[in-house]
Amino acid sequence: MPRISSGLCLILALAPVLACAPDRNSGGDAERHLAKLTPLGQPVPDSLDRKEGDTTDWKLLDIQDTGYLNVEVVLDNPEAEVMVEAFDRYGQRIGRTVHRKDDGPVVKLSAEVVIGKGFLRITHLGGPKTGYTLKAFVR
């Protein structure tokens, strides 16, 4: 019987884990330090697909005024379940909302912010894949 090297055994053992990694196809924005700059006041399209390995999108905001950050996410597929969270420049969560399949296509979040960096995290919790359009502004 042929012998299998220990390196091959390790690869074979990790293959199921890597195949199930929730953000293996994230598009490069699965972690906060990889957040993509998102312009305020402009619609930004993106998508989430848990089955294909894109569970999390992080967005970087350049906040130029104090007030309330208002976020609106319009889902292409309202059957998708998503969570939208806002974070301050230190990574402390300042707002959170969860959208369930019966909630309609629009997800809204509002959080008080100050001048500086801010972050949004959009997470696919379950259900079908969905595209979405995000719009954020400060008032």
Side-chain angles (χ1 to χ4, degrees):
M1 177 178 235
R3 296 188 83 198
I4 299 175
S5 74
S6 61
L8 182 57
C9 285
L10 180 61
I11 290 170
L12 292 173
L14 289 176
V17 174
L18 295 174
C20 297
D23 285 308
R24 70 185 182 282
N25 293 321
S26 76
D29 61 356
E31 298 178 37
R32 186 169 61 109
H33 71 279
L34 301 172
K36 295 179 181 177
L37 184 60
T38 300
L40 292 173
Q42 297 180 22
V44 176
D46 208 333
S47 63
L48 295 166
D49 187 348
R50 187 171 197 78
K51 289 182 182 176
E52 291 300 316
D54 184 10
T55 302
T56 309
D57 291 338
W58 278 92
K59 308 295 182 187
L60 170 63
L61 306 174
D62 182 19
I63 299 168
Q64 297 294 313
D65 202 1
T66 59
Y68 282 89
L69 172 67
N70 295 285
V71 179
E72 183 176 279
V73 177
V74 180
L75 302 173
D76 295 345
N77 189 339
E79 296 294 307
E81 296 185 341
V82 300
M83 178 170 51
V84 179
E85 298 169 282
F87 296 84
D88 67 13
R89 65 183 142 198
Y90 303 112
Q92 296 296 312
R93 187 169 60 195
I94 57 174
R96 174 183 178 269
T97 189
V98 175
H99 172 274
R100 299 293 177 197
K101 67 180 182 176
D102 296 326
D103 290 345
V106 181
V107 185
K108 292 185 178 184
L109 173 70
S110 183
E112 192 170 6
V113 293
V114 295
I115 295 172
K117 288 182 182 179
F119 297 92
L120 297 174
R121 178 169 60 188
I122 301 91
T123 307
H124 192 209
L125 301 175
K129 68 181 178 181
T130 188
Y132 65 86
T133 302
L134 178 142
K135 190 171 182 183
F137 56 93
V138 176
R139 279 202 184 145

